[in-house]
Amino acid sequence: MTYCLGIVTKFGLVMASDSRTNAGYDQVNVSRKMYTFVQKGEKVFVLLASGSLSCTQSVITLLQRDFDKGEGLATATGMYDAARIIGEQVRRVADMDRPSLERDEYKFNVHFLLGGQIRGERPALFLIYPQGNPLQATEESPYLQVGETKYGRPILDRGIIFDKTSLEEAAKYALLSLDSTMKSNVTVGPPIDLLAYEVDQLTITHQRRFNAEDTDLTKIAMRWQAALRQAVARLPTIRFPAAPQKPEESIQLVETAGGETTS
Amino acid sequence: MTYCLGIVTKFGLVMASDSRTNAGYDQVNVSRKMYTFVQKGEKVFVLLASGSLSCTQSVITLLQRDFDKGEGLATATGMYDAARIIGEQVRRVADMDRPSLERDEYKFNVHFLLGGQIRGERPALFLIYPQGNPLQATEESPYLQVGETKYGRPILDRGIIFDKTSLEEAAKYALLSLDSTMKSNVTVGPPIDLLAYEVDQLTITHQRRFNAEDTDLTKIAMRWQAALRQAVARLPTIRFPAAPQKPEESIQLVETAGGETTS
């Protein structure tokens, strides 16, 4: 399993990924899922990959080969075009591998997140589906996830606001979202790759890998757990009505005696 | 979709469920998923149901019919036996409906949570699978969930400790877990039924239904969101190394220069 996420705000982008891959339950490996393509001062692309490692590697290899020749992503004039270029490579690998995979009942199931900026445009964040079509993050939905997405979502839903969340805060939310996922699902695991990109930087300066024993990561996870417990303790005690509100009675109860039981 | 959870601690049980049911995306209804069976001073059973409403209703109807005649759950002499009695009814309904459902490619997919206590025993919490077999919560895994379980799990993983978490705190965790799930998945929705059962009470006194507009629920959700954001703001800022740690370099980097980059 995998968990990758991207956050886009007014201030830039945060991209984060775990590094655990597994083939079945008894073959677990470490493999990075974050790839960067940079033309300093012109273009920055950050790609996060989930799905069959064999297929995502193929896509990355083809993208890298083109990029090194000044083709493909190197020629993209906008982030939407960049997302389409990645989608084309996904379709190319699908054409090569999908029939053989499906014959043995494997799914062709690669997903990519693309974050980045091209000079003259705003930073943007896309999800590219296994079918090659792109979905863009918006101000209302300023983050995108791939892989094991559910455990890490509530903290993002409560925290990320396009206009307000600073890059520093967004980086913390990304790390907490990954930490929540790792705590609940062992098939998502460290090292964690984290990258923060500030608007108009057009190069990559803030990138860090956290290993399992990273003291900063451990400290943040411990402090977070303590802060959550404290926050729960400080919430008002839940009041129960004098007579138990059985489910079948309660709609009635709330309408007629709501004031007594809930305020 | 559905989300139900049960928590068992040294101090008793907390059971909670949402009330949204849907047949497809355009037929959404409210239906309770919490059922109680009580012989005051002798036995308390709380059942939470997820899966096809038609099938879970059948199981409950059969259990209720027996209980009212002094049979079935009314005769259980221990919580394990009670879980087995429910499993038997699940199998009975499966025998009646499963072949016809499967012919039209529906799955027989009912899950029940059973929490309760029988005089002379400790309170206990079980999950009963669609196949009828029971799984018991333990001191190491003191909560069980059915339905849309992932969004609401991280908060439980961080908070619930069998020996330490009071019933009041457990009730808050259950409500927060449901609130997180409702925020991330619209197919889980209010009213929320919440029940807290204290060890050796052998009756039900603390039961409450929260409608969507319940002021206590709204207040808790808002205060929780504010507390989370504040907790994130208070976490130490994430430091990035002077030179970006590219994923491919980082294992090396951490081993040779970890002190410089992470502390």
Side-chain angles (χ1 to χ4, degrees):
Chain A
M1 205 62 199
T2 286
Y3 178 41
C4 302
L5 79 156
I7 300 170
V8 60
T9 76
K10 196 168 94 172
F11 308 102
L13 290 156
V14 168
M15 309 288 288
S17 54
D18 84 313
S19 303
R20 192 155 291 175
T21 68
N22 59 302
Y25 292 107
D26 53 354
Q27 196 187 333
V28 175
N29 292 303
V30 170
S31 173
R32 67 166 167 143
K33 298 165 190 175
M34 180 182 284
Y35 305 87
T36 58
F37 300 82
V38 180
Q39 287 179 341
K40 264 196 190 172
E42 292 294 329
K43 304 180 167 85
V44 167
F45 303 116
V46 183
L47 265 172
L48 305 178
S50 90
S52 157
L53 188 58
S54 150
C55 297
T56 58
Q57 274 182 349
S58 281
V59 173
I60 297 292
T61 301
L62 295 173
L63 286 169
Q64 186 72 56
R65 202 160 68 178
D66 285 353
F67 188 78
D68 292 344
K69 287 190 289 189
E71 297 170 8
L73 285 175
T75 68
T77 53
M79 285 299 293
Y80 175 76
D81 298 321
R84 280 291 177 188
I85 287 166
I86 293 160
E88 282 311 307
Q89 294 294 22
V90 168
R91 286 174 185 166
R92 205 169 141 198
V93 174
D95 288 343
M96 287 193 280
D97 292 330
R98 199 169 166 149
S100 303
L101 288 171
E102 290 182 348
R103 200 171 52 213
D104 284 343
E105 285 168 31
Y106 290 103
K107 274 183 85 175
F108 180 79
N109 198 25
V110 304
H111 288 78
F112 286 89
L113 291 181
L114 165 68
Q117 186 178 16
I118 287 176
R119 191 158 59 89
E121 268 194 0
R122 299 278 314 162
L125 174 65
F126 287 89
L127 189 161
I128 293 108
Y129 287 104
Q131 294 75 27
N133 50 321
L135 172 80
Q136 186 169 4
T138 62
E139 297 192 14
E140 294 77 30
S141 300
Y143 67 86
L144 292 170
Q145 308 167 289
V146 293
E148 175 62 280
T149 62
K150 293 186 177 184
Y151 298 116
R153 183 167 164 166
I155 183 69
L156 302 176
D157 278 339
R158 302 210 197 246
I160 305 294
I161 304 167
F162 180 85
D163 274 340
K164 291 195 181 153
T165 309
S166 70
L167 268 192
E168 279 186 2
E169 301 286 276
K172 292 186 203 171
Y173 278 107
L175 208 56
L176 292 172
S177 179
L178 263 154
D179 186 64
S180 297
T181 309
M182 294 192 307
K183 208 166 159 65
S184 293
N185 185 337
V186 292
T187 70
V188 174
I192 292 173
D193 289 308
L194 182 70
L195 187 150
Y197 172 82
E198 201 181 330
V199 174
D200 294 335
Q201 227 181 347
L202 293 168
T203 184
I204 291 171
T205 57
H206 284 54
Q207 188 171 7
R208 177 166 169 186
R209 168 162 275 210
F210 297 85
N211 285 278
E213 61 283 2
D214 184 295
T215 48
D216 278 10
L217 182 62
T218 323
K219 205 187 295 172
I220 284 176
M222 281 174 57
R223 285 181 62 161
W224 181 242
Q225 180 150 314
L228 281 192
R229 288 187 184 166
Q230 203 174 50
V232 171
R234 282 183 187 157
L235 286 178
T237 300
I238 296 169
R239 284 168 295 181
F240 288 91
Q245 274 176 301
K246 286 206 178 188
E248 62 268 44
E249 300 162 355
S250 59
I251 289 173
Q252 210 58 27
L253 247 183
V254 168
E255 281 172 7
T256 60
E260 286 166 44
T261 57
T262 64
S263 64
Chain B
M1 207 64 203
T2 286
Y3 178 41
C4 302
L5 78 157
I7 300 170
V8 61
T9 75
K10 196 168 95 172
F11 308 101
L13 290 157
V14 169
M15 309 289 285
S17 54
D18 84 313
S19 303
R20 191 155 292 175
T21 68
N22 59 301
Y25 291 108
D26 52 354
Q27 199 187 332
V28 176
N29 292 303
V30 170
S31 173
R32 67 166 167 143
K33 298 165 188 174
M34 180 182 284
Y35 305 87
T36 57
F37 300 83
V38 179
Q39 286 178 341
K40 265 195 188 173
E42 291 295 328
K43 302 182 169 85
V44 168
F45 303 115
V46 183
L47 264 172
L48 306 178
S50 90
S52 157
L53 187 58
S54 148
C55 298
T56 58
Q57 273 182 350
S58 280
V59 174
I60 296 292
T61 301
L62 296 173
L63 286 169
Q64 187 72 56
R65 203 161 67 179
D66 284 354
F67 188 79
D68 292 345
K69 287 189 289 190
E71 297 171 8
L73 285 175
T75 68
T77 53
M79 284 299 294
Y80 175 77
D81 298 322
R84 281 289 178 192
I85 287 166
I86 294 161
E88 283 310 309
Q89 294 294 21
V90 168
R91 287 175 184 165
R92 202 167 143 200
V93 174
D95 288 343
M96 289 193 276
D97 292 330
R98 198 170 168 149
S100 304
L101 288 172
E102 290 182 347
R103 198 170 53 212
D104 284 342
E105 286 168 30
Y106 291 101
K107 275 183 84 172
F108 181 79
N109 198 25
V110 305
H111 288 79
F112 287 89
L113 291 181
L114 165 68
Q117 186 178 15
I118 286 175
R119 192 158 58 89
E121 267 195 3
R122 299 277 314 159
L125 175 65
F126 287 89
L127 190 162
I128 293 107
Y129 288 104
Q131 294 75 28
N133 49 322
L135 171 81
Q136 186 169 5
T138 62
E139 296 193 15
E140 294 77 31
S141 299
Y143 67 86
L144 292 170
Q145 309 166 288
V146 294
E148 175 62 279
T149 62
K150 293 187 178 184
Y151 298 117
R153 184 168 165 168
I155 183 69
L156 302 175
D157 278 338
R158 302 209 197 249
I160 305 294
I161 305 166
F162 180 85
D163 274 341
K164 290 194 181 154
T165 309
S166 71
L167 267 194
E168 279 187 0
E169 300 287 276
K172 292 186 202 173
Y173 279 107
L175 208 57
L176 292 173
S177 180
L178 263 154
D179 186 63
S180 297
T181 308
M182 295 193 304
K183 208 165 159 64
S184 293
N185 186 337
V186 292
T187 70
V188 175
I192 293 173
D193 289 309
L194 181 70
L195 187 151
Y197 173 82
E198 202 181 331
V199 173
D200 293 337
Q201 227 181 346
L202 294 168
T203 184
I204 291 172
T205 57
H206 284 56
Q207 187 172 7
R208 177 166 169 186
R209 168 163 274 211
F210 297 85
N211 286 279
E213 59 283 1
D214 185 294
T215 49
D216 279 9
L217 182 61
T218 323
K219 206 188 294 173
I220 283 176
M222 280 174 57
R223 283 181 63 161
W224 180 242
Q225 180 149 314
L228 281 192
R229 286 187 186 167
Q230 203 173 52
V232 171
R234 282 184 188 154
L235 286 178
T237 299
I238 295 168
R239 284 168 294 180
F240 287 91
Q245 275 175 302
K246 287 205 176 188
E248 62 267 44
E249 298 162 355
S250 59
I251 290 173
Q252 211 57 26
L253 248 181
V254 168
E255 280 172 8
T256 59
E260 288 167 44
T261 57
T262 63
S263 65

